[in-house]
Coordinates of all heavy atoms in Angstrom, one line a residue:
M1 N 68.9 78.4 33.5 CA 68.2 79.7 33.3 C 68.8 80.3 32.1 O 70.0 80.4 31.9 CB 68.4 80.6 34.5 CG 67.3 81.6 34.6 SD 67.4 82.6 36.2 CE 69.0 83.4 36.0
S2 N 67.9 80.8 31.2 CA 68.4 81.4 30.0 C 68.4 83.0 30.1 O 67.4 83.6 30.1 CB 67.4 81.1 28.8 OG 67.9 81.6 27.6
E3 N 69.6 83.5 30.2 CA 69.8 84.9 30.3 C 70.1 85.6 29.0 O 70.6 84.9 28.1 CB 71.0 85.2 31.2 CG 70.8 85.0 32.7 CD 72.0 85.2 33.5 OE1 72.4 86.4 33.7 OE2 72.6 84.2 33.9
V4 N 69.7 86.8 28.9 CA 70.0 87.6 27.7 C 71.2 88.4 27.9 O 71.4 89.1 28.9 CB 68.7 88.4 27.3 CG1 69.0 89.3 26.1 CG2 67.5 87.5 27.0
C5 N 72.0 88.4 26.8 CA 73.3 89.2 26.9 C 72.9 90.7 26.8 O 72.2 91.1 25.9 CB 74.2 88.8 25.7 SG 75.6 89.9 25.5
P6 N 73.4 91.5 27.8 CA 73.1 93.0 27.7 C 73.8 93.7 26.6 O 73.4 94.8 26.2 CB 73.7 93.4 29.1 CG 74.7 92.4 29.5 CD 74.3 91.1 28.9
K7 N 74.8 93.1 26.0 CA 75.6 93.8 25.0 C 74.9 93.6 23.6 O 74.7 94.6 22.9 CB 77.0 93.2 24.9 CG 78.1 94.2 25.1 CD 79.4 93.5 25.0 CE 80.6 94.4 25.2 NZ 81.8 93.7 25.2
C8 N 74.6 92.4 23.2 CA 74.0 92.1 21.9 C 72.6 91.7 21.9 O 72.0 91.7 20.8 CB 74.9 91.1 21.2 SG 74.8 89.4 22.0
G9 N 72.0 91.5 23.1 CA 70.6 91.1 23.2 C 70.2 89.7 22.8 O 69.1 89.3 22.9
L10 N 71.2 88.9 22.5 CA 71.0 87.5 22.2 C 71.0 86.7 23.5 O 71.6 87.1 24.5 CB 72.1 87.0 21.2 CG 72.0 87.5 19.8 CD1 73.3 87.0 19.1 CD2 70.8 87.1 19.1
K11 N 70.4 85.5 23.4 CA 70.5 84.6 24.5 C 71.9 84.2 24.7 O 72.7 84.1 23.8 CB 69.6 83.4 24.2 CG 68.2 83.6 24.4 CD 67.4 82.3 24.2 CE 65.9 82.5 24.3 NZ 65.2 81.3 24.0
K12 N 72.3 84.0 26.0 CA 73.7 83.7 26.3 C 74.3 82.5 25.5 O 75.4 82.5 25.2 CB 73.8 83.4 27.8 CG 73.7 84.6 28.7 CD 75.1 85.2 28.9 CE 75.1 86.7 29.4 NZ 75.0 86.8 30.8
E13 N 73.4 81.5 25.1 CA 73.9 80.4 24.4 C 74.3 80.8 23.0 O 75.2 80.2 22.4 CB 72.9 79.3 24.2 CG 72.2 78.8 25.5 CD 71.0 79.6 25.9 OE1 69.9 79.3 25.3 OE2 71.1 80.5 26.7
L14 N 73.7 81.8 22.5 CA 74.0 82.2 21.1 C 75.0 83.4 21.0 O 75.6 83.5 19.9 CB 72.7 82.7 20.4 CG 71.5 81.7 20.4 CD1 70.2 82.4 19.9 CD2 71.8 80.5 19.4
C15 N 75.1 84.1 22.0 CA 76.0 85.3 21.9 C 77.5 85.0 22.0 O 77.9 84.0 22.6 CB 75.6 86.2 23.1 SG 76.9 86.8 24.1
V16 N 78.3 85.7 21.3 CA 79.7 85.5 21.3 C 80.5 86.6 22.0 O 81.7 86.6 22.0 CB 80.3 85.4 19.8 CG1 79.7 84.1 19.2 CG2 79.9 86.6 19.0
C17 N 79.8 87.6 22.6 CA 80.4 88.6 23.4 C 81.4 88.1 24.4 O 82.5 88.6 24.6 CB 79.4 89.5 24.0 SG 78.3 90.3 22.9
E18 N 80.9 87.1 25.1 CA 81.7 86.5 26.2 C 82.9 85.9 25.6 O 84.0 86.1 26.2 CB 80.8 85.4 26.9 CG 81.4 85.1 28.2 CD 80.5 84.1 28.9 OE1 79.4 84.4 29.4 OE2 80.9 82.9 29.0
T19 N 82.8 85.3 24.5 CA 84.0 84.7 23.8 C 85.0 85.7 23.5 O 86.2 85.6 23.7 CB 83.5 83.9 22.6 OG1 82.4 83.1 22.9 CG2 84.7 83.0 22.0
I20 N 84.5 86.8 22.9 CA 85.3 88.0 22.5 C 86.0 88.5 23.8 O 87.2 88.8 23.8 CB 84.5 89.0 21.8 CG1 84.1 88.5 20.4 CG2 85.4 90.3 21.5 CD1 82.9 89.3 19.8
A21 N 85.3 88.7 24.8 CA 85.8 89.3 26.1 C 86.9 88.4 26.6 O 87.9 88.8 27.1 CB 84.7 89.5 27.1
K22 N 86.7 87.1 26.5 CA 87.6 86.1 27.0 C 89.0 86.3 26.2 O 90.0 86.2 26.8 CB 87.1 84.7 26.8 CG 86.3 84.2 27.9 CD 86.0 82.7 27.6 CE 84.9 82.2 28.5 NZ 84.4 80.9 28.0
E23 N 88.8 86.5 25.0 CA 90.0 86.7 24.1 C 90.7 88.0 24.5 O 92.0 88.1 24.3 CB 89.7 86.6 22.7 CG 89.5 85.2 22.2 CD 88.7 85.1 20.9 OE1 88.5 86.1 20.3 OE2 88.3 83.9 20.6
E24 N 90.0 89.0 24.9 CA 90.6 90.3 25.2 C 91.4 90.2 26.5 O 92.5 90.7 26.5 CB 89.5 91.3 25.3 CG 89.0 91.9 24.0 CD 87.8 92.7 24.1 OE1 87.2 92.8 25.3 OE2 87.4 93.3 23.1
Q25 N 90.8 89.6 27.4 CA 91.6 89.4 28.7 C 91.3 88.0 29.2 O 90.3 87.8 29.8 CB 91.1 90.5 29.7 CG 91.8 90.3 31.0 CD 92.4 91.6 31.5 OE1 93.5 91.7 32.0 NE2 91.7 92.7 31.3
R26 N 92.2 87.2 28.9 CA 92.1 85.8 29.3 C 93.0 85.4 30.4 O 94.2 85.3 30.2 CB 92.3 85.0 28.0 CG 91.8 83.6 28.1 CD 92.1 82.8 26.9 NE 91.8 81.4 27.2 CZ 90.6 80.8 27.1 NH1 89.6 81.5 26.7 NH2 90.5 79.5 27.4
I27 N 92.4 85.2 31.6 CA 93.2 84.9 32.7 C 93.3 83.4 32.8 O 92.2 82.7 32.8 CB 92.7 85.5 34.0 CG1 92.6 87.1 33.8 CG2 93.5 85.1 35.2 CD1 91.9 87.8 34.9
K28 N 94.4 82.9 33.0 CA 94.6 81.4 33.1 C 95.2 81.1 34.4 O 96.3 81.7 34.8 CB 95.4 80.9 32.0 CG 95.6 79.4 32.0 CD 95.4 78.8 30.6 CE 95.6 77.3 30.6 NZ 94.4 76.6 31.1
V29 N 94.5 80.3 35.2 CA 95.1 79.9 36.5 C 95.4 78.4 36.4 O 94.6 77.6 36.0 CB 94.0 80.1 37.6 CG1 94.6 79.7 39.0 CG2 93.5 81.5 37.6
R30 N 96.6 78.1 36.7 CA 97.0 76.7 36.7 C 98.1 76.4 37.8 O 98.7 77.3 38.3 CB 97.6 76.3 35.3 CG 98.8 77.0 34.9 CD 99.2 76.7 33.5 NE 100.3 77.5 33.1 CZ 101.6 77.0 33.0 NH1 101.8 75.7 33.3 NH2 102.6 77.7 32.6
T31 N 98.2 75.1 38.1 CA 99.2 74.8 39.1 C 100.3 74.0 38.4 O 100.1 73.3 37.4 CB 98.6 73.9 40.2 OG1 97.9 72.8 39.6 CG2 97.6 74.7 41.0
V32 N 101.5 74.2 38.9 CA 102.7 73.4 38.4 C 103.4 72.9 39.6 O 103.4 73.4 40.7 CB 103.6 74.3 37.5 CG1 103.0 74.7 36.2 CG2 104.1 75.5 38.3
K33 N 104.1 71.8 39.3 CA 104.9 71.2 40.3 C 106.3 71.6 40.1 O 106.9 71.4 39.0 CB 104.7 69.7 40.3 CG 105.0 69.0 41.6 CD 104.7 67.5 41.5 CE 103.5 67.1 42.4 NZ 103.3 65.6 42.3
R34 N 106.9 72.2 41.0 CA 108.3 72.6 40.9 C 109.2 71.6 41.6 O 108.8 70.6 42.1 CB 108.4 74.0 41.6 CG 107.8 75.1 40.8 CD 108.7 75.5 39.6 NE 108.0 76.2 38.5 CZ 107.7 77.5 38.5 NH1 108.0 78.2 39.6 NH2 107.0 78.0 37.5
R35 N 110.4 72.0 41.7 CA 111.4 71.1 42.4 C 110.9 70.7 43.8 O 110.3 71.5 44.5 CB 112.7 71.8 42.5 CG 113.7 71.4 41.4 CD 115.1 71.9 41.6 NE 115.1 73.3 41.4 CZ 116.2 74.0 41.5 NH1 117.3 73.4 41.9 NH2 116.2 75.3 41.3
F36 N 111.3 69.5 44.2 CA 111.0 69.0 45.5 C 109.5 68.8 45.7 O 109.0 68.8 46.8 CB 111.6 69.8 46.6 CG 113.0 70.1 46.4 CD1 113.4 71.4 46.3 CD2 114.0 69.1 46.3 CE1 114.8 71.7 46.1 CE2 115.3 69.4 46.2 CZ 115.7 70.7 46.0
G37 N 108.7 68.7 44.6 CA 107.3 68.5 44.7 C 106.5 69.7 45.1 O 105.3 69.6 45.5
K38 N 107.1 70.9 45.1 CA 106.4 72.1 45.6 C 105.4 72.5 44.5 O 105.7 72.7 43.4 CB 107.5 73.2 45.8 CG 107.3 73.9 47.1 CD 108.5 74.7 47.4 CE 108.6 76.0 46.5 NZ 109.7 76.8 47.0
I39 N 104.2 72.7 45.0 CA 103.1 73.2 44.1 C 103.1 74.7 44.0 O 103.1 75.3 45.1 CB 101.7 72.6 44.5 CG1 101.7 71.1 44.7 CG2 100.6 73.1 43.5 CD1 101.5 70.3 43.4
M40 N 103.0 75.2 42.8 CA 102.8 76.7 42.7 C 101.6 76.9 41.9 O 101.3 76.2 40.9 CB 104.0 77.3 41.9 CG 105.4 77.1 42.5 SD 105.6 78.1 44.0 CE 105.8 79.7 43.3
T41 N 100.8 78.0 42.2 CA 99.7 78.4 41.4 C 100.1 79.6 40.6 O 100.5 80.6 41.1 CB 98.5 78.8 42.3 OG1 98.2 77.7 43.2 CG2 97.3 79.1 41.5
L42 N 100.0 79.4 39.2 CA 100.3 80.5 38.3 C 99.1 81.2 37.8 O 98.1 80.6 37.4 CB 101.1 80.0 37.1 CG 102.4 79.1 37.4 CD1 103.1 78.9 36.1 CD2 103.3 79.8 38.4
I43 N 99.1 82.5 37.8 CA 98.0 83.3 37.2 C 98.6 84.1 36.0 O 99.4 85.0 36.2 CB 97.5 84.3 38.3 CG1 97.0 83.4 39.5 CG2 96.3 85.1 37.7 CD1 96.9 84.2 40.8
E44 N 98.2 83.7 34.9 CA 98.7 84.3 33.6 C 97.7 85.0 32.8 O 96.5 84.8 33.0 CB 99.2 83.1 32.7 CG 100.2 82.2 33.4 CD 100.5 81.0 32.5 OE1 99.5 80.3 32.2 OE2 101.7 80.8 32.2
G45 N 98.2 85.8 31.9 CA 97.3 86.4 30.9 C 96.7 87.8 31.4 O 95.8 88.3 30.7
I46 N 97.1 88.3 32.5 CA 96.5 89.6 32.9 C 97.3 90.7 32.2 O 98.5 90.7 32.2 CB 96.6 89.7 34.4 CG1 95.8 88.7 35.1 CG2 96.2 91.1 34.9 CD1 95.9 88.6 36.6
D47 N 96.5 91.6 31.6 CA 97.1 92.7 30.9 C 97.7 93.7 31.9 O 97.0 94.4 32.6 CB 96.0 93.4 30.1 CG 96.7 94.4 29.1 OD1 97.8 94.8 29.3 OD2 96.0 94.7 28.1
T48 N 99.0 93.8 31.9 CA 99.7 94.6 32.9 C 99.6 96.1 32.6 O 99.9 96.9 33.4 CB 101.2 94.3 33.0 OG1 101.8 94.3 31.6 CG2 101.4 92.9 33.6
K49 N 99.1 96.4 31.4 CA 98.8 97.8 31.1 C 97.6 98.3 31.9 O 97.5 99.5 32.2 CB 98.6 98.0 29.6 CG 99.8 97.9 28.7 CD 99.6 98.4 27.3 CE 98.5 97.6 26.6 NZ 99.0 96.5 25.8
D50 N 96.7 97.4 32.1 CA 95.4 97.8 32.8 C 95.4 97.5 34.3 O 94.7 98.2 35.0 CB 94.2 97.0 32.2 CG 94.0 97.4 30.7 OD1 94.3 98.5 30.3 OD2 93.6 96.5 30.0
I51 N 96.2 96.5 34.6 CA 96.1 96.1 36.0 C 97.5 96.1 36.7 O 98.5 95.7 36.1 CB 95.5 94.7 36.0 CG1 94.1 94.7 35.6 CG2 95.6 94.0 37.4 CD1 93.6 93.7 34.7
D52 N 97.5 96.6 37.9 CA 98.7 96.6 38.7 C 98.9 95.3 39.3 O 98.3 94.9 40.3 CB 98.5 97.7 39.8 CG 99.8 97.9 40.6 OD1 100.8 97.1 40.4 OD2 99.9 98.9 41.4
L53 N 99.8 94.5 38.7 CA 100.1 93.2 39.1 C 100.7 93.1 40.6 O 100.3 92.2 41.3 CB 101.1 92.5 38.2 CG 100.6 91.8 36.9 CD1 101.7 90.9 36.3 CD2 99.4 90.9 37.2
K54 N 101.5 94.1 40.9 CA 102.1 94.1 42.2 C 101.0 94.2 43.3 O 101.0 93.5 44.3 CB 103.0 95.4 42.3 CG 104.4 95.1 42.4 CD 105.2 96.4 42.6 CE 106.6 96.2 43.1 NZ 107.3 97.5 43.1
D55 N 100.1 95.1 43.0 CA 99.0 95.3 44.0 C 98.1 94.0 44.1 O 97.7 93.6 45.1 CB 98.1 96.5 43.5 CG 97.4 97.1 44.6 OD1 98.0 97.3 45.7 OD2 96.2 97.5 44.4
L56 N 97.8 93.5 42.9 CA 97.0 92.3 42.8 C 97.7 91.1 43.5 O 97.0 90.4 44.3 CB 96.8 91.9 41.3 CG 95.9 90.8 41.0 CD1 94.4 91.1 41.5 CD2 95.9 90.5 39.5
A57 N 99.0 90.9 43.3 CA 99.7 89.8 44.0 C 99.7 90.0 45.5 O 99.5 89.1 46.2 CB 101.1 89.8 43.4
K58 N 99.8 91.3 45.9 CA 99.8 91.6 47.3 C 98.5 91.2 48.0 O 98.5 90.5 49.0 CB 100.1 93.1 47.5 CG 100.7 93.4 48.9 CD 100.9 94.9 49.0 CE 99.6 95.6 49.4 NZ 99.7 97.1 49.4
N59 N 97.4 91.6 47.3 CA 96.1 91.2 47.8 C 95.9 89.7 47.8 O 95.3 89.2 48.8 CB 95.0 91.9 47.0 CG 94.9 93.3 47.2 OD1 95.2 93.8 48.3 ND2 94.5 94.1 46.3
L60 N 96.3 89.0 46.8 CA 96.1 87.6 46.7 C 96.9 86.9 47.8 O 96.4 86.0 48.5 CB 96.5 87.1 45.4 CG 95.5 87.3 44.2 CD1 96.2 86.9 42.9 CD2 94.2 86.5 44.4
K61 N 98.1 87.4 48.0 CA 98.9 86.8 49.0 C 98.3 86.9 50.4 O 98.4 86.0 51.2 CB 100.4 87.3 49.0 CG 101.2 86.8 47.9 CD 102.7 87.2 48.0 CE 102.9 88.6 47.6 NZ 104.3 89.0 47.6
S62 N 97.8 88.1 50.7 CA 97.3 88.3 52.0 C 95.9 87.6 52.2 O 95.7 87.0 53.2 CB 97.2 89.8 52.4 OG 96.1 90.4 51.8
N63 N 95.1 87.6 51.1 CA 93.8 86.9 51.2 C 94.0 85.4 51.3 O 93.2 84.7 51.9 CB 92.9 87.3 50.1 CG 92.5 88.7 50.1 OD1 92.7 89.4 51.0 ND2 91.8 89.1 49.0
L64 N 95.0 84.9 50.7 CA 95.2 83.4 50.6 C 96.2 83.0 51.7 O 96.5 81.8 51.8 CB 95.6 82.9 49.2 CG 94.5 83.2 48.1 CD1 95.1 83.0 46.8 CD2 93.3 82.3 48.3
A65 N 96.8 83.9 52.3 CA 97.8 83.7 53.3 C 98.9 82.8 52.8 O 99.2 81.7 53.4 CB 97.2 83.1 54.6
C66 N 99.5 83.2 51.7 CA 100.6 82.5 51.2 C 101.7 83.4 50.6 O 101.5 84.6 50.5 CB 100.1 81.6 50.0 SG 99.5 82.5 48.6
G67 N 102.8 82.8 50.3 CA 103.9 83.6 49.7 C 103.7 83.6 48.2 O 102.9 82.9 47.6
G68 N 104.5 84.5 47.5 CA 104.4 84.5 46.1 C 105.3 85.6 45.5 O 105.8 86.5 46.2
T69 N 105.4 85.5 44.1 CA 106.2 86.5 43.4 C 105.6 86.8 42.1 O 104.6 86.2 41.7 CB 107.6 85.9 43.1 OG1 107.5 84.7 42.5 CG2 108.5 85.8 44.4
I70 N 106.1 87.8 41.4 CA 105.7 88.1 40.0 C 106.9 87.8 39.1 O 108.0 88.3 39.4 CB 105.3 89.5 39.9 CG1 104.1 89.8 40.8 CG2 104.9 89.8 38.4 CD1 103.8 91.3 41.0
K71 N 106.7 87.0 38.1 CA 107.8 86.7 37.1 C 107.2 86.9 35.7 O 106.3 86.2 35.3 CB 108.2 85.3 37.4 CG 109.7 85.1 37.2 CD 110.1 83.7 37.4 CE 110.8 83.4 38.7 NZ 111.1 82.0 38.9
D72 N 107.8 87.7 34.9 CA 107.5 88.0 33.5 C 105.9 88.2 33.4 O 105.3 87.6 32.5 CB 107.9 86.8 32.7 CG 109.4 86.6 32.8 OD1 110.2 87.6 32.8 OD2 109.9 85.4 32.8
G73 N 105.4 88.9 34.2 CA 103.9 89.2 34.1 C 103.0 88.1 34.6 O 101.8 88.1 34.4
I74 N 103.6 87.1 35.2 CA 102.8 86.0 35.8 C 103.0 86.0 37.3 O 104.0 86.2 37.9 CB 103.4 84.7 35.3 CG1 103.2 84.6 33.7 CG2 102.6 83.5 35.9 CD1 103.9 83.4 33.1
I75 N 101.8 86.0 38.0 CA 101.8 85.9 39.4 C 102.0 84.4 39.8 O 101.3 83.5 39.3 CB 100.5 86.4 40.0 CG1 100.3 87.9 39.7 CG2 100.5 86.3 41.5 CD1 99.0 88.5 40.1
E76 N 103.0 84.2 40.7 CA 103.2 82.9 41.2 C 102.9 82.8 42.7 O 103.5 83.5 43.4 CB 104.7 82.4 40.9 CG 105.1 82.4 39.5 CD 106.5 81.8 39.3 OE1 107.1 81.5 40.3 OE2 106.8 81.6 38.2
L77 N 102.0 82.0 43.0 CA 101.7 81.8 44.4 C 102.1 80.5 44.9 O 102.0 79.5 44.2 CB 100.1 81.9 44.7 CG 99.5 83.3 44.3 CD1 98.0 83.1 44.4 CD2 100.0 84.4 45.1
Q78 N 102.6 80.4 46.2 CA 103.0 79.1 46.7 C 101.8 78.3 47.2 O 101.0 78.8 47.9 CB 104.0 79.4 47.9 CG 105.3 79.9 47.4 CD 106.2 80.4 48.6 OE1 105.8 80.3 49.7 NE2 107.3 81.1 48.2
G79 N 101.8 77.1 46.8 CA 100.7 76.2 47.2 C 99.7 76.1 46.1 O 99.7 76.8 45.1
D80 N 98.7 75.2 46.3 CA 97.6 75.0 45.3 C 96.4 75.9 45.8 O 95.7 75.5 46.7 CB 97.3 73.5 45.3 CG 96.2 73.2 44.2 OD1 95.7 74.2 43.6 OD2 95.9 72.1 44.0
H81 N 96.2 76.9 45.0 CA 95.1 77.8 45.4 C 94.1 78.0 44.2 O 93.4 79.0 44.1 CB 95.6 79.2 45.8 CG 96.6 79.2 46.9 ND1 96.2 78.9 48.2 CD2 97.9 79.3 46.9 CE1 97.3 79.0 49.0 NE2 98.3 79.2 48.2
K82 N 94.2 77.0 43.3 CA 93.5 77.2 42.0 C 92.0 77.4 42.3 O 91.4 78.3 41.6 CB 93.7 75.9 41.1 CG 93.5 76.2 39.7 CD 94.1 75.1 38.8 CE 93.1 74.0 38.7 NZ 93.5 73.0 37.7
D83 N 91.4 76.7 43.2 CA 90.0 76.8 43.4 C 89.6 78.2 44.0 O 88.6 78.8 43.7 CB 89.5 75.7 44.4 CG 89.6 74.3 43.8 OD1 89.7 74.3 42.5 OD2 89.8 73.4 44.5
K84 N 90.5 78.7 44.9 CA 90.2 79.9 45.6 C 90.5 81.1 44.8 O 89.9 82.2 44.9 CB 91.0 80.0 46.9 CG 90.5 79.0 48.0 CD 91.3 79.1 49.2 CE 91.0 78.0 50.2 NZ 92.2 77.8 51.0
V85 N 91.5 81.0 43.9 CA 92.0 82.2 43.2 C 90.9 82.8 42.3 O 90.7 84.0 42.3 CB 93.2 81.8 42.3 CG1 93.4 82.8 41.2 CG2 94.5 81.8 43.2
K86 N 90.1 81.9 41.7 CA 89.0 82.4 40.8 C 88.0 83.3 41.6 O 87.6 84.3 41.2 CB 88.3 81.2 40.2 CG 87.4 81.6 39.1 CD 86.9 80.3 38.4 CE 85.9 80.8 37.3 NZ 85.5 79.6 36.4
N87 N 87.7 82.8 42.8 CA 86.8 83.5 43.7 C 87.4 84.8 44.1 O 86.7 85.9 44.1 CB 86.5 82.6 44.9 CG 85.1 82.5 45.2 OD1 84.2 83.2 44.6 ND2 84.7 81.4 45.9
E88 N 88.7 84.8 44.5 CA 89.3 86.0 45.0 C 89.4 87.0 43.8 O 89.1 88.2 44.1 CB 90.8 85.7 45.4 CG 90.8 84.9 46.7 CD 90.2 85.6 47.9 OE1 90.2 86.8 47.9 OE2 89.7 84.9 48.8
L89 N 89.7 86.6 42.6 CA 89.8 87.5 41.5 C 88.4 88.1 41.2 O 88.3 89.3 40.9 CB 90.3 86.8 40.3 CG 91.8 86.4 40.3 CD1 92.2 85.6 39.1 CD2 92.7 87.7 40.3
S90 N 87.4 87.3 41.3 CA 86.1 87.8 41.0 C 85.6 88.8 42.1 O 85.0 89.8 41.8 CB 85.1 86.7 40.8 OG 84.6 86.2 42.1
K91 N 86.1 88.6 43.3 CA 85.8 89.6 44.4 C 86.5 90.9 44.1 O 86.1 91.9 44.5 CB 86.3 89.0 45.7 CG 85.2 88.2 46.5 CD 85.6 88.0 47.9 CE 86.2 86.6 48.1 NZ 86.7 86.4 49.5
M92 N 87.6 90.8 43.4 CA 88.4 92.0 43.1 C 87.9 92.7 41.8 O 88.5 93.6 41.3 CB 89.9 91.6 42.9 CG 90.6 91.2 44.2 SD 92.2 90.7 43.9 CE 92.6 89.8 45.4
G93 N 86.8 92.2 41.3 CA 86.2 92.8 40.1 C 86.5 92.2 38.8 O 86.1 92.7 37.7
F94 N 87.2 91.1 38.7 CA 87.4 90.4 37.4 C 86.2 89.6 37.1 O 85.6 89.0 38.0 CB 88.6 89.5 37.5 CG 89.9 90.2 37.6 CD1 90.5 90.6 38.8 CD2 90.6 90.6 36.4 CE1 91.7 91.3 38.8 CE2 91.8 91.3 36.5 CZ 92.3 91.6 37.7
A95 N 85.9 89.5 35.8 CA 84.8 88.7 35.4 C 85.1 87.2 35.5 O 86.2 86.8 35.0 CB 84.3 89.0 34.0
K96 N 84.3 86.5 36.2 CA 84.6 85.0 36.4 C 84.7 84.3 35.0 O 85.5 83.4 34.9 CB 83.4 84.4 37.2 CG 83.7 84.3 38.6 CD 82.7 83.4 39.4 CE 83.1 83.3 40.8 NZ 82.1 82.7 41.7
E97 N 84.0 84.8 34.0 CA 84.0 84.2 32.7 C 85.4 84.3 32.0 O 85.7 83.5 31.1 CB 83.0 84.8 31.8 CG 81.6 84.8 32.3 CD 81.3 86.0 33.2 OE1 81.3 87.1 32.7 OE2 81.1 85.8 34.4
T98 N 86.2 85.3 32.4 CA 87.5 85.4 31.8 C 88.6 84.7 32.5 O 89.7 84.7 32.2 CB 87.9 86.9 31.7 OG1 88.1 87.4 33.1 CG2 86.8 87.7 31.0
I99 N 88.2 84.0 33.6 CA 89.2 83.3 34.4 C 89.0 81.8 34.1 O 88.0 81.1 34.4 CB 89.0 83.5 35.9 CG1 89.0 85.0 36.2 CG2 90.1 82.8 36.6 CD1 88.5 85.4 37.5
D100 N 90.1 81.2 33.5 CA 90.1 79.8 33.1 C 90.9 79.1 34.2 O 92.1 79.2 34.2 CB 90.7 79.6 31.7 CG 90.8 78.2 31.4 OD1 90.3 77.3 32.1 OD2 91.5 77.9 30.3
A101 N 90.2 78.4 35.0 CA 90.9 77.7 36.1 C 90.6 76.2 36.0 O 90.6 75.4 36.9 CB 90.4 78.2 37.5
S102 N 90.4 75.7 34.7 CA 90.1 74.3 34.5 C 91.4 73.5 34.6 O 92.5 74.0 34.3 CB 89.4 74.1 33.2 OG 90.2 74.7 32.2
Ligands
ZN201 ZN1 76.3 89.1 23.5

């Protein structure tokens, strides 16, 4: 389906607004393997001036039923939640397009 961008009026394939927005707030979700093979899901790139990371981490932890911490502006969740985090963040009002969970 070809949608038109509400910002610039161009078709989504031609418009760069989304690209610009991605650069403004680019959330990256990735998993890392820690010691003893423990998987952690890291959520990076959230602007801490705009968003309360503590609150966000709290919500994610309760929604995903896992433990986690905040380190240097990065939310670390215990376990592999990459697939779910994107959904959870979008439910919290983040644009799915700005979340890179590839
Ligand atoms: Zn546009």
